[in-house]
Amino acid sequence: MTSKSPRSFMTNINPNTFTTRPEIEGTFGVVTSTHWIATAVGMGMLERGGNAFDAAVATAFTLQVVEPHLNGPGGDVPVILYDVRRAKPEVICGQGPAPEKATISHYRSEGLDLVPGTGLLAACVPGTFETWMMLLRDYGTMKVADVLAPAIGYAQNGHPLLERANSTIGTVAQLFREHWPTSAAVYLPDNAVPETGSLFSNKTLAATYTRIVKEAESAGGDRIAQIERARKSWSRGFIAEAIDRFCRTQEIMDTSGRRHRGVLTADDMARWTPRIEAPLTYDYRGYTVCKTGPWGQGPVALQQLALLKGFDLDGLDPTGPDFIHLIVECSKLAYADREVFYGDPDFVEVPMATLLSDAYNTERRKLVTDKASLELRPGSIEGFGAVIKLRREAVAMAAGAGEPTVGQLGAGEPTVGRLGNTRGDTVHFDIVDQAGNMISSTPSGGWLHSSPVIPELGFCLGTRAQMFWLEEGHPAALGPGRRPRTTLSPTMALRDGEPYVAWGSPGGDGQDQWITQFFLRHVHCGMNLQEAIDAPAWHSEHLPSSFWPRTARPGVLVLESRVPKQTIAELERRGHIVEMGPDWSEGRLTAASRVGRRRRAAANPRGMQGYAAGR
């Protein structure tokens, strides 16, 4: 990741603010995503007459191909959307649950105290394909062949391999060669790490999606019948059969340093479908911010706003110590509550009404002082919560002679490294069409280094189960049918009751830190979408990581080097343990908005691959 500032353009919103590129604006529609090819594909769908939801499905399938180190068909996805026909925001939960055989007793019997960060034991039911088919069926207008064609083309004919994909493959190349030969067959052509910029293809994945299209078209010309036939191919057909067989017959090396078989079955896949839910919302200064429920970490953004509502952020310098300190300290309190209260509300009662209440936050706000907290301080609500066993810093792993190291085994977090070395770990997109339909989504999981490629399919399973705790009674405890408390966190906000902006970022636990920063810079500092993305950013590592090996770094605050030196000095004086990252290293935000007929979009310059388009 470059530490040099991209070329800057002066915006027409704030003459004192420079951005890396203009905010995109038009009246026809806008698409923004974490990869320029996916953005072009989504825009192409709008140009062909598709709506925002058709464009979203095509964009998502393309992202699986061009960013395989960040997401894949075996992963999971939450969606927030606004359909003008239904005139309300909705959430689609595409987070697959734990398999029927995924019990704490089974994992304990395998000698585990954490769910491994890689391999088959960490797999939940893949949620992406069924989610995109539901979106296409219930909200879209196009056919299966239309939305899969770009992904098939890039998988078959190749796409320029990103530097980050090259780096990721290089990091786990020894693991692939020694333990995961089916992955080596795809990602190490000629037994070598493919070069950055080389045309990389995955012909097996292309064949998998081509077969789905053919089976869909065998249902006749009706669009809905074709979608239902494609769903059957996935959850009750050749896809489910191959996944079931692989999990039953293969013993796979994972981050525990041992080999394990999976517990995911074809029956698990056949029983599950995504579902539509109402979003969890919070009103803040004329905006209604919409997030997923507490089966995801999304409510921590709302909790931060509930705390920050009691402070006057207007007029504060967005790169100054007061602005940063207040947001960081409130994020610590919100994330601490995430650890002890959040879980699948189908199985545990999560006291969200209390967590977002004025009374609760008035008391919690008193914990914010002019000094940085170095403790994990969750709230206390009688009858709720769990005790967290905090793991500090990194855990030494597999130190015995001859045993594989963490580097050889990959890592639970898809960054292949700690969050402070943020290299992206997920994908994101936001789309608004001419009619005013809006969608925000953060697909993830099934990245190339999560588990071995299933040879008949060309893709691997996800590892979202690593977010469960193997502790009976914990709100986020592992259990059959439970949704893991995912970090995936798309966002939408209404303004004065009308859908206004959709945004989000990859980045695991950091997502709702950057999401909140963006919103506050936009609301309190008057920045447009691109300015709010480009502004110097940061993240706290104080919170327990959601990824294996579930560690925390109390008090650590990672800042981009563009933050002023006087701000850094003052934050250190207040007790923050400051670490400096490169100039452009924090988050991968994208955002899209609608105001009347006008459509706007912006994309992150960090990593030099995200792009927005529109007209």
Side-chain angles (χ1 to χ4, degrees):
M1 186 165 310
T2 180
S3 62
K4 296 180 179 180
S5 169
R7 182 181 176 185
S8 294
F9 298 86
M10 185 177 288
T11 69
N12 59 3
I13 302 296
N14 182 344
N16 297 315
T17 303
F18 290 82
T19 61
T20 58
R21 58 189 75 172
E23 181 183 60
I24 298 297
E25 184 170 350
T27 58
F28 176 76
V30 290
V31 179
T32 180
S33 84
T34 51
H35 196 293
W36 71 90
I37 288 177
T39 295
V41 165
M43 198 66 205
M45 290 292 146
L46 295 183
E47 297 284 2
R48 290 176 56 190
N51 64 18
F53 311 121
D54 298 313
V57 177
T59 298
F61 280 124
T62 301
L63 285 168
Q64 293 175 1
V65 175
V66 299
E67 294 193 288
H69 56 307
L70 306 178
N71 78 135
D76 29 53
V77 59
V79 176
I80 296 181
L81 61 89
Y82 188 96
D83 182 346
V84 294
R85 298 170 303 170
R86 305 186 188 203
K88 61 181 180 180
E90 296 176 301
V91 168
I92 301 179
C93 176
Q95 176 55 68
E100 190 66 26
K101 296 179 181 178
T103 63
I104 290 175
S105 61
H106 174 72
Y107 285 61
R108 291 287 188 182
S109 73
E110 295 283 337
L112 300 168
D113 63 354
L114 290 176
V115 178
T118 61
L120 297 180
L121 275 180
C124 289
V125 174
T128 56
F129 189 85
E130 284 276 15
T131 299
W132 300 133
M133 290 300 102
M134 172 183 277
L135 183 69
L136 186 66
R137 181 192 68 194
D138 296 349
Y139 300 87
T141 66
M142 290 183 162
K143 293 183 177 181
V144 176
D146 299 324
V147 296
L148 272 172
I152 292 172
Y154 283 110
Q156 178 66 37
N157 301 318
H159 56 91
L161 190 74
L162 296 169
E163 182 278 328
R164 294 178 178 186
N166 161 273
S167 176
T168 299
I169 296 169
T171 300
V172 292
Q174 185 176 347
L175 167 68
F176 286 4
R177 292 187 180 107
E178 295 183 3
H179 299 290
W180 296 2
T182 58
S183 293
V186 173
Y187 292 105
L188 298 173
D190 301 320
N191 198 32
V193 177
E195 294 183 2
T196 298
S198 62
L199 286 179
F200 180 81
S201 62
N202 185 342
K203 297 184 186 300
T204 303
L205 177 59
T208 295
Y209 278 144
T210 299
R211 180 175 173 181
I212 287 177
V213 169
K214 289 181 178 178
E215 294 193 5
E217 292 177 336
S218 72
D222 180 73
R223 190 182 80 90
I224 301 300
Q226 289 187 6
I227 293 171
E228 291 304 316
R229 186 62 185 85
R231 291 183 58 221
K232 184 176 180 181
S233 297
W234 181 274
S235 295
R236 299 175 182 268
F238 77 99
I239 300 286
E241 291 167 1
I243 289 173
D244 184 294
R245 184 167 53 249
F246 194 76
C247 288
R248 281 188 291 106
T249 62
Q250 302 299 308
E251 290 190 343
I252 299 303
M253 179 67 73
D254 57 40
T255 52
S256 71
R258 300 188 298 276
R259 296 180 180 273
H260 297 102
R261 292 187 182 183
V263 293
L264 179 63
T265 68
D267 287 342
D268 293 316
M269 294 183 62
R271 281 193 297 266
W272 181 79
T273 57
R275 71 189 199 200
I276 299 170
E277 305 176 353
L280 188 66
T281 64
Y282 187 77
D283 292 333
Y284 184 87
R285 293 177 64 98
Y287 297 83
T288 299
V289 182
C290 306
K291 302 292 286 188
T292 70
W295 50 266
Q297 79 172 12
V300 300
L302 306 184
Q303 285 197 248
Q304 289 175 76
L305 295 178
L307 289 162
L308 288 163
K309 186 171 70 172
F311 297 102
D312 184 8
L313 300 183
D314 287 342
L316 292 183
D317 178 356
T319 63
D322 291 337
F323 190 82
I324 295 174
H325 175 79
L326 284 173
I327 295 172
V328 169
E329 291 306 296
C330 288
S331 76
K332 292 176 181 178
L333 297 174
Y335 275 92
D337 280 353
R338 180 195 72 170
E339 290 306 302
V340 301
F341 295 117
Y342 290 16
D344 186 343
D346 289 347
F347 290 84
V348 296
E349 186 178 355
V350 182
M352 283 311 313
T354 299
L355 294 173
L356 294 176
S357 69
D358 287 343
Y360 179 80
N361 285 284
T362 296
E363 290 302 310
R364 295 282 281 161
R365 201 175 294 123
K366 295 175 182 177
L367 297 175
V368 178
T369 69
D370 62 353
K371 296 295 183 182
S373 170
L374 301 181
E375 301 298 325
L376 187 70
R377 298 184 293 178
S380 177
I381 303 175
E382 186 174 356
F384 298 93
V387 176
I388 298 300
K389 300 174 182 177
L390 190 62
R391 294 170 177 247
R392 294 174 182 262
E393 295 288 343
V395 174
M397 175 83 184
E403 293 183 2
T405 67
V406 173
Q408 293 170 325
L409 296 176
E413 189 171 1
T415 54
V416 197
R418 70 176 181 82
L419 189 60
N421 296 326
T422 302
R423 300 181 64 83
D425 68 335
T426 297
V427 299
H428 183 83
F429 63 84
D430 304 291
I431 301 173
V432 186
D433 66 19
Q434 188 172 31
N437 297 306
M438 180 181 290
I439 185 167
S440 179
S441 185
T442 314
S444 186
W447 42 79
L448 66 88
H449 45 292
S450 61
S451 67
V453 166
I454 300 169
E456 305 98 310
L457 303 179
F459 66 84
C460 60
L461 295 173
T463 55
R464 194 63 58 183
Q466 68 182 287
M467 299 189 172
F468 287 115
W469 291 95
L470 298 181
E471 304 287 344
E472 296 286 357
H474 192 291
L478 176 67
R482 292 190 176 207
R483 291 173 286 183
R485 199 271 303 137
T486 179
T487 54
L488 306 177
S489 191
T491 319
M492 185 174 291
L494 313 183
R495 187 167 69 179
D496 299 324
E498 292 294 320
Y500 170 59
V501 62
W503 78 103
S505 173
D509 296 298
Q511 288 181 37
D512 283 291
Q513 298 188 56
W514 298 312
I515 283 167
T516 305
Q517 291 170 37
F518 166 90
F519 181 68
L520 295 171
R521 287 192 286 260
H522 185 60
V523 172
H524 290 282
C525 305
M527 293 183 173
N528 72 21
L529 303 184
Q530 193 63 52
E531 291 169 341
I533 287 173
D534 285 358
W538 63 87
H539 76 270
S540 168
E541 297 196 356
H542 181 85
L543 53 117
S545 171
S546 297
F547 296 93
W548 183 94
R550 308 301 296 266
T551 56
R553 307 180 71 220
V556 172
L557 175 60
V558 182
L559 303 171
E560 286 185 337
S561 295
R562 293 181 295 138
V563 172
K565 288 183 171 56
Q566 57 269 33
T567 295
I568 298 169
E570 175 60 18
L571 290 170
E572 289 178 329
R573 190 193 68 78
R574 297 186 189 190
H576 296 278
I577 303 170
V578 174
E579 294 184 1
M580 303 308 300
D583 285 359
W584 298 86
S585 56
E586 289 287 318
R588 294 173 65 212
L589 285 156
T590 69
S593 70
R594 49 166 276 192
V595 179
R597 294 179 54 234
R598 305 176 86 157
R599 309 287 178 257
R600 296 186 176 99
N604 185 46
R606 299 164 178 89
M608 304 299 285
Q609 68 192 58
Y611 249 88
R615 69 170 180 85

